[in-house]
Amino acid sequence: MTTDKSATSLDKTAAPADAPVGNPDAADGAATVVDPRLLIREQGFAGYITEFKRKISGGDLGSIPVVVGLAIIAIVFQSMNSEFLSAKNISDIATSMVATGMMAVGIIFVLLLGEIDLSVGSVSGVSGALVAVLSVTQGMNEWLAILVAVVSGAVMGAVHGFFFARIGAPAFAVTLAGLLFWLGFMLQLLGDSGTINLDGDGVVGKLTTYYFTDVAAAYGLAAVAVIGYFAAAFLDTRRREAAGIPSRPIADIAVRTGVLAVFAFAAAYMFNQYRGLPLALVLFLIVLVGTDFLLRRTAYGRKIFALGGSVEASRRAGINVTAIRISVFSIAGTFAAIGGLFWASKIAAANQGSGTGDLLMNVIAAAVIGGTSLFGGRGRTWNALLGVMVIVSIQYGLSLEGIATPIQYMVTGAVLLATVVIDSVTRKTQKTAGRA
């Protein structure tokens, strides 16, 4: 495919010059949508600059705010305490963020519909309690107990989805009721003692305590990530070229792969300076890759985005709105249960405080801060990684300085508010530019 043919195909899709314009003022101020791949092919490095300016003017900020935020957090806390970017602290952050991150992945599915799930904290607590009761108190095989807990999370989520999608009750009210009901159910399961300790050497116990100590593990994962990204991008480019549509040049893919390689191998180096590659992080990355593929490369994922854009349009297009909604809440319950297992592993117990406190706030904040829109239709599961990195990094940075928990809440709340404001302003800018 040549640039001339691509440009010609784009021109053919443009409206005729004499076509009526419903809102001339909006049309005059609208940004011209140009495929970035064409800009890069035609202008080289200047194409990146042109595309960046177009995105900024059109309100398409992507992950720029959170990446800049992470850089600022690292610089500020490292200047305050040299231990912030130490191998131990980075490893601790990577392990601690997985529980919240897993739950944030499920919340992202719900947010893509433009809805909310307030029950995930309680569902995670029930998951931990079920594993503790079944495996410790009842003597059930631990793997089977884990399966029961995860399936139970999926069923709890499906129940919420049923009342929302089939009965028509607001998701906010349904999941708020779920928060209270499942919290009471968790307390009932734990009984009078309120705490059941887990075997630190068991399956759940090792979720956050096991490390791949061989240096080849961390470097091997980094290599797999880099090669996998390049292969996926290269194959996508070949498919696009074969279909005669704009595609990224190889040079662009090479640059992106190089940047990923720098960060991946730097992280691997830091992990190997402490205890090695955390199992928890490996599992989290596998989940992110799998769910990202589900959302972006399958018909099911496209239906979720369609629902987030317009329910009525999706219904008229033949999408089973009820089934998709129920399945999405079931997915949220599943990942809440998985997150609950990681929380139980972190404290080596299931207790009455599981799933309570600021957990729900942090889960939702991680999804939103990472770049998922509260208005639905925009987001990726990788946003969970970025968002939870921001939250946990702030918590660890403030803890290193001995700053009290109330201040940590205030700082996290301020960051969340700033993110929501940016999201709202972005939507308004996109509407003005004719891109919403």
Side-chain angles (χ1 to χ4, degrees):
M1 182 196 68
T2 64
T3 303
D4 294 338
K5 290 182 180 179
S6 301
T8 301
S9 64
L10 289 178
D11 290 339
K12 289 180 180 179
T13 60
D18 57 349
V21 179
N23 188 346
D25 294 333
D28 290 340
T32 302
V33 179
V34 180
D35 195 300
R37 302 173 187 87
L38 293 180
L39 286 174
I40 296 170
R41 285 185 180 279
E42 294 174 352
Q43 303 177 17
F45 180 75
Y48 283 104
I49 304 300
T50 303
E51 173 62 7
F52 178 76
K53 291 179 178 178
R54 186 190 68 81
K55 284 186 175 181
I56 296 299
S57 63
D60 185 8
L61 301 179
S63 300
I64 294 176
V66 68
V67 172
V68 172
L70 280 171
I72 293 174
I73 289 171
I75 293 171
V76 170
F77 285 123
Q78 180 65 15
S79 65
M80 296 170 62
N81 192 316
S82 60
E83 290 297 311
F84 182 75
L85 292 180
S86 66
K88 179 182 183 304
N89 199 53
I90 289 177
S91 181
D92 289 344
I93 289 175
T95 303
S96 297
M97 72 182 186
V98 173
T100 303
M102 286 288 192
M103 298 171 68
V105 169
I107 279 289
I108 286 174
F109 277 80
V110 177
L111 291 178
L112 288 174
L113 296 182
E115 301 296 339
I116 193 68
D117 188 344
L118 303 179
S119 69
V120 291
S122 296
V123 172
S124 72
V126 170
S127 171
L130 278 174
V131 168
V133 169
L134 293 176
S135 64
V136 177
T137 305
Q138 302 299 324
M140 179 183 288
N141 177 273
E142 191 172 8
W143 281 106
L144 181 57
I146 291 172
L147 177 62
V148 170
V150 174
V151 171
S152 297
V155 172
M156 287 184 273
V159 170
H160 301 151
F162 172 81
F163 282 103
F164 165 59
R166 178 66 70 179
I167 306 301
F172 179 90
V174 170
T175 56
L176 179 59
L179 180 154
L180 297 173
F181 183 88
W182 300 121
L183 175 60
F185 183 63
M186 177 192 72
L187 297 177
Q188 185 69 26
L189 283 174
L190 293 174
D192 296 333
S193 64
T195 300
I196 300 177
N197 293 324
L198 296 172
D199 180 9
D201 293 326
V203 178
V204 174
K206 289 185 177 180
L207 286 177
T208 56
T209 60
Y210 186 83
Y211 292 79
F212 297 97
T213 55
D214 192 330
V215 295
Y219 289 126
L221 180 62
V224 169
V226 172
I227 295 173
Y229 173 81
F230 178 83
F234 180 79
L235 292 176
D236 183 64
T237 293
R238 286 290 178 259
R239 284 195 297 266
R240 286 178 170 273
E241 289 179 348
I245 56 179
S247 59
R248 293 192 181 279
I250 298 300
D252 175 47
I253 297 175
V255 170
R256 291 169 179 263
T257 303
V259 173
L260 174 62
V262 169
F263 284 100
F265 281 98
Y269 173 80
M270 295 300 290
F271 289 139
N272 283 332
Q273 297 307 301
Y274 182 51
R275 299 176 63 182
L277 178 65
L279 170 64
L281 181 62
V282 175
L283 297 176
F284 187 32
L285 292 177
I286 291 174
V287 165
L288 290 175
V289 172
T291 52
D292 182 68
F293 179 86
L294 177 66
L295 280 177
R296 298 176 60 240
R297 300 294 182 181
T298 67
Y300 175 76
R302 289 191 287 271
K303 290 176 181 177
I304 293 176
F305 280 105
L307 274 178
S310 173
V311 175
E312 185 58 31
S314 299
R315 183 178 287 110
R316 294 184 179 184
I319 295 176
N320 189 332
V321 174
T322 300
I324 296 297
R325 282 175 163 175
I326 292 176
S327 66
V328 164
F329 276 88
S330 181
I331 289 173
T334 300
F335 281 107
I338 294 174
L341 298 179
F342 280 89
W343 276 113
S345 174
K346 185 177 180 181
I347 62 176
N351 59 35
Q352 294 179 339
S354 301
T356 60
D358 62 345
L359 176 59
L360 174 62
M361 177 198 72
N362 286 338
V363 170
I364 297 176
V368 176
I369 290 173
T372 303
S373 175
L374 284 169
F375 301 97
R378 190 177 78 244
R380 295 181 60 180
T381 52
W382 286 99
N383 296 150
L385 174 62
L386 295 174
V388 76
M389 284 176 64
V390 169
I391 292 176
V392 177
S393 295
I394 291 175
Q395 292 173 344
Y396 269 73
L398 294 176
S399 296
L400 285 174
E401 294 302 306
I403 298 176
T405 300
I407 303 300
Q408 296 183 27
Y409 286 165
M410 293 167 65
V411 172
T412 304
V415 173
L416 176 58
L417 176 61
T419 305
V420 173
V421 169
I422 291 174
D423 184 31
S424 300
V425 172
T426 296
R427 281 180 58 85
K428 291 181 180 180
T429 304
Q430 289 178 336
K431 287 182 178 179
T432 303
R435 301 183 61 196

